[in-house]
Amino acid sequence: MMPDENVAGNVEDFPVGSHKVIKIGKREIGVFNVDGAFYALPNICPHQVGPLCQGKVSGTLVANKDTNWKRTWDREGEILACPWHRLEFNIKTGECLAYPEVKIRSYNVKIEEGKVKVW
């Protein structure tokens, strides 16, 4: 079990748009800075346990009623693609884009005294 607070690093170690995989005990956790907000996800893809957080962060194509069914690029910097099979996850919610019923857990993150803390 993870202790309550774990220092992932200093805030300046995570510029906007960056992410880093850290190790807390036996767990690998990806810590992401999305537009100044911090998120943390397990480094395990539920598909075939690939190293999810070592994947590319980008956006995704969306075509829906709001876009008049035209494909548009959306959610830049919020989508994580597993490097093994490109399964995409929303960093903010942990939800899989292809299979909304699949959701990965997230860890709480807080900024305190210039430190990024995960628990």
Side-chain angles (χ1 to χ4, degrees):
M1 185 138 201
M2 254 181 10
D4 281 347
E5 290 184 349
N6 298 275
V7 176
N10 296 317
V11 171
E12 59 267 13
D13 296 336
F14 298 89
V16 171
S18 73
H19 74 284
K20 191 185 294 190
V21 176
I22 62 166
K23 193 162 186 174
I24 298 176
K26 294 182 180 183
R27 299 172 195 238
E28 289 187 354
I29 298 170
V31 179
F32 300 81
N33 181 339
V34 179
D35 294 325
F38 286 82
Y39 303 89
L41 303 172
N43 189 30
I44 297 175
C45 181
H47 176 230
Q48 289 187 341
V49 296
L52 177 62
C53 297
Q54 293 174 13
K56 182 179 178 185
V57 174
S58 189
T60 191
L61 283 174
V62 174
N64 57 31
K65 187 176 179 181
D66 293 337
T67 66
N68 200 27
W69 303 107
K70 293 181 183 173
R71 290 181 294 182
T72 59
W73 192 250
D74 196 22
R75 298 190 232 164
E76 179 61 42
E78 297 178 15
I79 306 301
L80 173 63
C82 180
W84 283 11
H85 300 106
R86 305 286 302 149
L87 200 57
E88 295 178 316
F89 293 86
N90 184 321
I91 294 168
K92 293 180 175 183
T93 65
E95 184 178 292
C96 178
L97 273 57
Y99 305 100
E101 68 278 5
V102 174
K103 188 174 179 179
I104 55 175
R105 71 171 293 175
S106 61
Y107 295 95
N108 293 317
V109 181
K110 71 177 176 179
I111 308 303
E112 193 172 73
E113 298 176 1
K115 304 283 185 196
V116 179
K117 295 183 178 180
V118 178
W119 76 98

